[in-house]
Amino acid sequence: CMLSCVLSAGFSPAMSAIHAHNAASHLGQAPTTYKAELLSCSGAMLRLRGGDGDDEDLFADDEEGDVAAAAELKAKAAAAKDKAKADKPPAKTNIILDVKGWGEETDMAELEKSVRSIVMEGLLWGASGLEDVGYGIKKLRITCVVEDEKVSVDLLEENITNFEELVQSVDVAAMNKI
């Protein structure tokens, strides 16, 4: 048997198969010849070690085990992904809004008070100030931080424009992810 030197060297049948495959590929043997010889030699070696040679087929497909192992790995990966997502802080965005009143008669203090009265989960109002637009007309520039999952910019703009007697328009001056 060509593999007798590899098998008798004390290697396991699986390691012997690897060494034998390397030897067979270097010698240029055909794979079918190699496979038949490997089966006969590994079976003989198992019988010498006390096995009957029918306990393990080195070339058999273990599809049930492979499918079960793949499903288990997939479940573990999904659990790890869910845990990582839970540990991750929520995505936030810093938004600067320009809120324009109807004219110079608009009470800008009342406008700011109305805008800040909007309360939503995931919304935090920040600094504000008045800026000149022209001809005595001012606009309110106000900063807020929102959690992306809980507050949409469109909903926020809509809630501000609902103060129709004070607000003419709302523009997003800047928006940055935090």
Side-chain angles (χ1 to χ4, degrees):
C1 167
M2 180 186 127
L3 303 176
S4 61
C5 62
V6 175
L7 290 172
S8 62
F11 292 112
S12 69
M15 287 303 294
S16 298
I18 293 170
H19 292 295
H21 176 68
N22 290 338
S25 64
H26 289 296
L27 294 175
Q29 283 187 324
T32 55
T33 307
Y34 155 71
K35 188 173 179 179
E37 188 173 336
L38 177 62
L39 284 175
S40 66
C41 287
S42 63
M45 193 60 172
L46 283 172
R47 282 189 293 278
L48 286 175
R49 292 187 180 171
D52 61 358
D54 293 331
D55 294 337
E56 180 179 10
D57 184 5
L58 297 176
F59 297 101
D61 290 335
D62 186 17
E63 290 186 17
E64 295 102 21
D66 292 344
V67 170
E72 184 179 334
L73 284 175
K74 192 173 185 179
K76 285 181 182 179
K81 185 177 179 181
D82 291 342
K83 185 178 184 272
K85 187 182 256 189
D87 294 342
K88 193 175 183 183
K92 295 183 180 181
T93 304
N94 184 29
I95 304 171
I96 300 174
L97 298 170
D98 286 340
V99 183
K100 297 174 189 149
W102 284 107
E104 58 190 44
E105 307 87 35
T106 304
D107 184 7
M108 297 306 281
E110 181 68 25
L111 176 70
E112 181 178 356
K113 182 179 172 186
S114 298
V115 170
R116 287 186 183 272
S117 70
I118 298 172
V119 177
M120 302 170 131
E121 185 180 346
L123 171 66
L124 177 66
W125 293 107
S128 65
L130 298 176
E131 293 186 6
D132 288 329
V133 175
Y135 303 106
I137 301 173
K138 297 186 181 276
K139 68 179 176 182
L140 173 68
R141 179 162 277 191
I142 189 164
T143 304
C144 65
V145 176
V146 298
E147 288 184 29
D148 296 343
E149 294 287 322
K150 297 178 181 177
V151 180
S152 74
V153 178
D154 294 334
L155 180 63
L156 185 59
E157 286 181 21
E158 183 180 323
N159 286 344
I160 293 172
T161 55
N162 284 340
F163 300 111
E164 295 172 354
E165 65 280 351
L166 298 171
V167 178
Q168 176 187 3
S169 65
V170 178
D171 297 320
V172 176
M175 185 163 51
N176 300 309
K177 295 282 183 186
I178 297 178

